Amino acid sequence: MNNQMANSLPNEKLDRNNCASWEYKMYQSLVSQGYWSYIEGAQTQHTDYLTWEQATRRVLYSLASCFYDHMLSYIREAKTPKEVWENVKKIFTAHTIAQKL
């Protein structure tokens, strides 16, 4: 992960109480760095596979670094940033709905 990306990441770890604000901040960070297409799963936009794979790993690492260690099991099996993002939305949306009920 380059320093520019590291400096633009949310400085709060994702938890059950801050999902909406974390998601917003992470979205802004990824868009501003030009990495949002990796969340959308747009591999076809990138002609150089090695460059795409390295950037994918940077995004995966960036997402994982914003999780508490005990929560990494939620995303550990994800192979793409898109899968991580979908897992986060699924897990935390379910939790928020259950909390409201």
Side-chain angles (χ1 to χ4, degrees):
M1 175 170 49
N2 61 32
N3 286 338
Q4 188 178 8
M5 180 178 249
N7 293 333
S8 70
L9 291 174
N11 38 336
E12 62 185 330
K13 300 278 187 182
L14 175 64
D15 65 30
R16 296 185 189 279
N17 300 315
N18 69 350
C19 185
S21 65
W22 179 90
E23 183 180 336
Y24 175 78
K25 292 172 186 174
M26 184 59 77
Y27 170 80
Q28 296 303 327
S29 172
L30 292 171
V31 168
S32 72
Q33 298 298 314
Y35 289 111
W36 186 250
S37 64
Y38 293 87
I39 299 296
E40 293 175 326
Q43 178 181 352
T44 57
Q45 293 178 0
H46 307 278
T47 55
D48 179 4
Y49 181 78
L50 181 59
T51 301
W52 176 84
E53 180 66 21
Q54 288 172 335
T56 296
R57 295 296 164 197
R58 278 195 300 274
V59 174
L60 285 169
Y61 178 79
S62 298
L63 290 168
S65 69
C66 292
F67 277 70
Y68 288 104
D69 288 345
H70 69 276
M71 296 177 69
L72 288 174
S73 62
Y74 294 136
I75 63 168
R76 185 164 292 154
E77 300 300 317
K79 304 262 189 286
T80 66
K82 181 179 183 176
E83 288 179 45
V84 171
W85 198 263
E86 289 172 351
N87 287 352
V88 167
K89 295 205 49 101
K90 190 180 336 175
I91 292 163
F92 288 101
T93 299
H95 176 75
T96 301
I97 291 170
Q99 219 174 16
K100 287 179 181 177
L101 292 175

